[in-house]
Amino acid sequence: MPQTGDDDGPRTLQTVSTASQVMRTLKELDGAGVTELATELDISKSTAHIHLMTLVENGLVVKRDSKYELALRLFAFGEYVRSRNPLYRHGKPQVDELADKTGQYVHIVTEESGRAINLYQVKGDTSVSGEYQTSKPQQRDRLHYTASGKAILAFLPKQRVNEIIDRHGLPERTSNTVTDPDALFEELTTIHERGYAYNDEEEIEGFRAIGAPIRTPDGGVLGSLSVSGPTSVLQEERFEETLPEKVVNSANVIEVNINMSSRS
């Protein structure tokens, strides 16, 4: 069975790696035929077909007309993983409550492999809807241009932050995005001292957010809680004082609930 890797790195199965690439590509293309998939991955049509048939046989991909799409079975896997996460279990009630209080989008986020995973989000009654927000749970966000991401980075060891920067870089999303490592570390120091992070139009122009870390008793970080909304709503005292206090308080409640559950 073909393997990849060398003496200095982990040995992996090429077939599994290709199958993973097939599934990611089907997601990015919103479904594809054999020819389109083969072209996208630069593999032969026969190889693409074999992988697709294997994934279909295992219930991970379905064929509809001439297109192959990810199967709903994957939803069950995702729900299983999410339901086992203590951040989701104990954070969900606070997300619901904070969205009700603020009227804005509220997210609970964790970090995995240097990217942000949106575990749960709720749209407040007065929040601005849009495709970007509704698709956010399907994305693996960069950490350096979101309030939730920076709230996590600020409480990770510096070596770990450097590893994330080396792996994923600091790409620019808007003119406000921090793209210089030294400037980012300076901001992370401020966030660590202050206890919460801002996203001031760094991800999307006209959009702001406040994020607070959710920490463990030993000083580690499990994830973060954030509120986001348009600059016309998140401004002046509300952006600088009122919402940060609400976000930090809600994050603290989640921390307490997680810690209490681990002792029971």
Side-chain angles (χ1 to χ4, degrees):
M1 188 173 293
Q3 295 180 324
T4 61
D6 52 37
D7 293 338
D8 297 324
R11 295 177 66 81
T12 60
L13 294 175
Q14 183 61 46
T15 52
V16 176
S17 295
T18 303
S20 177
Q21 291 174 350
V22 167
M23 294 175 69
R24 286 199 300 269
T25 304
L26 290 178
K27 174 181 178 290
E28 292 167 1
L29 297 178
D30 198 22
V34 174
T35 301
E36 184 181 10
L37 183 68
T39 301
E40 189 73 19
L41 293 178
D42 194 24
I43 58 178
S44 67
K45 289 174 63 175
S46 60
T47 299
H49 186 261
I50 290 171
H51 280 286
L52 287 169
M53 287 299 95
T54 303
L55 291 168
V56 169
E57 184 67 23
N58 284 275
L60 302 177
V61 167
V62 295
K63 184 179 182 182
R64 292 189 173 90
D65 298 325
S66 60
K67 285 181 65 175
Y68 292 88
E69 302 173 354
L70 297 179
L72 284 172
R73 185 180 183 186
L74 294 169
F75 178 76
F77 285 134
E79 280 296 300
Y80 167 75
V81 173
R82 185 172 74 160
S83 67
R84 288 177 55 82
N85 190 298
L87 198 56
Y88 170 74
R89 293 201 309 272
H90 298 286
K92 184 176 181 296
Q94 287 301 312
V95 172
D96 293 336
E97 182 177 327
L98 191 57
D100 185 56
K101 287 180 178 179
T102 64
Q104 301 304 309
Y105 266 104
V106 180
H107 312 259
I108 195 162
V109 170
T110 191
E111 176 265 329
E112 185 177 76
S113 300
R115 300 291 281 267
I117 304 295
N118 197 322
L119 290 174
Y120 182 62
Q121 74 173 29
V122 173
K123 179 183 180 296
D125 291 340
T126 60
S127 60
V128 176
S129 185
E131 184 178 346
Y132 184 79
Q133 286 287 354
T134 56
S135 65
K136 210 165 176 60
Q138 304 170 31
Q139 311 301 323
R140 296 172 67 245
D141 280 337
R142 307 275 182 169
L143 295 170
H144 71 287
Y145 53 58
T146 65
S148 53
K150 288 190 289 184
I152 293 172
L153 288 174
F155 291 88
L156 289 176
K158 185 174 182 178
Q159 180 180 348
R160 174 63 180 144
V161 178
N162 275 319
E163 290 172 355
I164 292 172
I165 293 173
D166 289 343
R167 181 175 180 181
H168 299 293
L170 299 173
E172 181 179 300
R173 282 294 296 267
T174 73
S175 59
N176 284 1
T177 305
V178 177
T179 58
D180 176 69
D182 291 338
L184 177 63
F185 275 110
E186 184 177 344
E187 182 177 0
L188 294 181
T189 298
T190 300
I191 293 167
H192 193 281
E193 295 171 350
R194 186 174 56 207
Y196 57 88
Y198 286 119
N199 165 10
D200 192 4
E201 301 186 76
E202 297 161 53
E203 181 183 15
I204 302 174
E205 292 181 0
F207 221 70
R208 284 174 164 171
I210 303 106
I214 299 170
R215 305 183 66 192
T216 61
D218 61 1
V221 60
L222 293 171
S224 61
L225 179 72
S226 67
V227 172
S228 60
T231 54
S232 59
V233 176
L234 272 60
Q235 59 180 312
E236 298 177 350
E237 184 178 348
R238 191 177 192 202
F239 182 57
E240 296 170 2
E241 297 179 20
T242 307
L243 284 178
E245 181 178 355
K246 291 181 185 295
V247 174
V248 169
N249 288 343
S250 294
N252 289 342
V253 171
I254 297 172
E255 289 175 349
V256 170
N257 289 339
I258 292 175
N259 294 338
M260 289 179 62
S261 70
S262 65
R263 295 175 182 273
S264 60

